[in-house]
Amino acid sequence: MLMGLDAFIGAVMPESRAHVCVLDVSGITKRDILSVSATRKIHASEFCCRAKLMRRGLWLCIRCRNRAKDKALCEKEPFFGKCPFGVGEVVYPVVSNGRVLCIVSVGLLCDDSNALSDKIKKTAALLKSPAEPLLEMMPTLQTCADFNVYLKLAQAIADHILLLYNSTETTKSYENYHKAVAAALDYASANYHKEISIEDVARTHGLNAKYIGRLFKEQIGEGFNTYLNRVRINNAMQLLAGTRAQIIEIALECGYNNVTYFNREFKKIQGVTPSAYRKLHINKA
């Protein structure tokens, strides 16, 4: 029997302080065997949480993450990078038949403690925030002399994802949908964190927006914007129940630039506010 993804990640990194994040851009983690805990869907380490509490720190972290995601989706090749605070990360897109299924990142890496300390101080100064809270967290990072070690770990996780993906049937096959509708579903899964519309899908694929919109509603049973909002709320629910990330961070992660609007849309669908939902579910995570 194949080991599930969450268990596999725990097995290959049992004593590592590195943090693995699996960013699903195609809906594959809806399959039970490919599901991961909410803390592996977001940069939820204590170091990252403290960085996000700094003045404009949350904005800086999310912008960095989105740039890395966009690069992975565009280039479809693994790469190394460092966040604005100097912490290293391996980013590994998982690709099947030219389509990015998800993006594996292995972060919290420190290859030079002196350089990292200097970078933290410089970034904190730019943000007009004290550096001490992050400097105190440096021992929680994974010291490594060579990022290639973690590239191989990311590759092992990616290979296991492909093994699980190819050995299980899809929860909802796109084969039954018109290619324009399938393109819209893929686009929503990959870009729900951004401000997007059916017009963006049309431009990306060289199709007519009204045509896609009509087909989408006929085959999915709801309009693209309604579907997109449901995707965002579903992701928000997982993060609310499975992490202690700030509600504003979750709103931004899920494509809402206005927290008031996020609260209203969440309550419309779930019947309770995000904070109330968290109180009901956080202890069950």
Side-chain angles (χ1 to χ4, degrees), residues 25-61:
V25 296
S26 66
I28 64 167
T29 56
K30 292 177 182 177
R31 307 184 198 184
D32 288 343
I33 200 166
L34 280 160
S35 64
V36 290
S37 61
T39 54
R40 290 198 170 117
K41 294 183 178 182
I42 190 173
H43 289 185
S45 71
E46 193 171 349
F47 182 96
C48 294
C49 288
R50 290 204 185 184
K52 291 167 185 173
L53 288 173
M54 300 175 83
R55 182 177 178 271
R56 300 199 78 197
L58 175 59
W59 170 83
L60 193 61
C61 289

Side-chain angles (χ1 to χ4, degrees), residues 27-253:
I28 64 167
T29 56
K30 292 177 182 177
R31 307 184 198 184
D32 288 343
I33 200 166
L34 280 160
S35 64
V36 290
S37 61
T39 54
R40 290 198 170 117
K41 294 183 178 182
I42 190 173
H43 289 185
S45 71
E46 193 171 349
F47 182 96
C48 294
C49 288
R50 290 204 185 184
K52 291 167 185 173
L53 288 173
M54 300 175 83
R55 182 177 178 271
R56 300 199 78 197
L58 175 59
W59 170 83
L60 193 61
C61 289
I62 289 180
R63 188 182 72 164
C64 176
R65 184 183 181 188
N66 287 344
R67 288 178 65 184
K69 176 183 177 180
D70 289 342
K71 180 177 179 179
L73 288 169
C74 179
E75 299 180 1
K76 301 179 182 178
E77 294 288 342
F79 60 90
F80 302 106
K82 290 189 177 182
C83 80
F85 295 95
V87 177
E89 181 177 62
V90 173
V91 180
Y92 203 108
V94 182
V95 183
S96 175
N97 295 322
R99 176 186 178 217
V100 178
L101 301 177
C102 63
I103 301 167
V104 174
S105 63
V106 182
L108 294 185
L109 307 179
C110 172
D111 59 342
D112 185 330
S113 58
N114 290 328
L116 176 60
S117 177
D118 289 342
K119 182 62 176 175
I120 289 173
K121 292 174 183 176
K122 288 179 181 178
T123 301
L126 287 172
L127 297 178
K128 297 181 180 180
S129 295
E132 286 70 23
L134 282 187
L135 294 174
E136 292 172 359
M137 295 304 303
M138 283 180 57
T140 67
L141 303 178
Q142 178 63 51
T143 302
C144 64
D146 184 0
F147 280 4
N148 282 300
V149 172
Y150 293 91
L151 174 64
K152 291 178 180 177
L153 281 169
Q155 182 178 7
I157 294 169
D159 288 345
H160 194 69
I161 289 172
L162 287 173
L163 176 64
L164 296 176
Y165 177 76
N166 291 324
S167 65
T168 58
E169 294 186 9
T170 55
T171 303
K172 181 184 283 187
S173 175
Y174 286 2
E175 293 177 2
N176 298 324
Y177 299 135
H178 187 282
K179 65 178 182 180
V181 175
L185 292 169
D186 271 343
Y187 197 85
S189 292
N191 297 282
Y192 68 86
H193 66 293
K194 301 178 183 178
E195 290 185 19
I196 60 172
S197 65
I198 198 70
E199 285 76 15
D200 296 317
V201 181
R203 280 194 298 272
T204 301
H205 296 278
L207 298 169
N208 180 274
K210 289 184 178 179
Y211 174 65
I212 298 179
R214 186 176 70 253
L215 279 176
F216 193 95
K217 192 165 187 177
E218 287 175 359
Q219 296 192 356
I220 304 302
E222 59 189 355
F224 179 77
N225 289 338
T226 301
Y227 174 82
L228 174 63
N229 199 46
R230 193 154 50 80
V231 170
R232 288 170 169 166
I233 296 300
N234 285 342
N235 278 277
M237 288 163 57
Q238 294 178 49
L239 295 177
L240 285 165
T243 77
R244 297 193 178 275
Q246 303 170 68
I247 289 178
I248 185 174
E249 178 185 353
I250 291 172
L252 291 170
E253 287 277 357

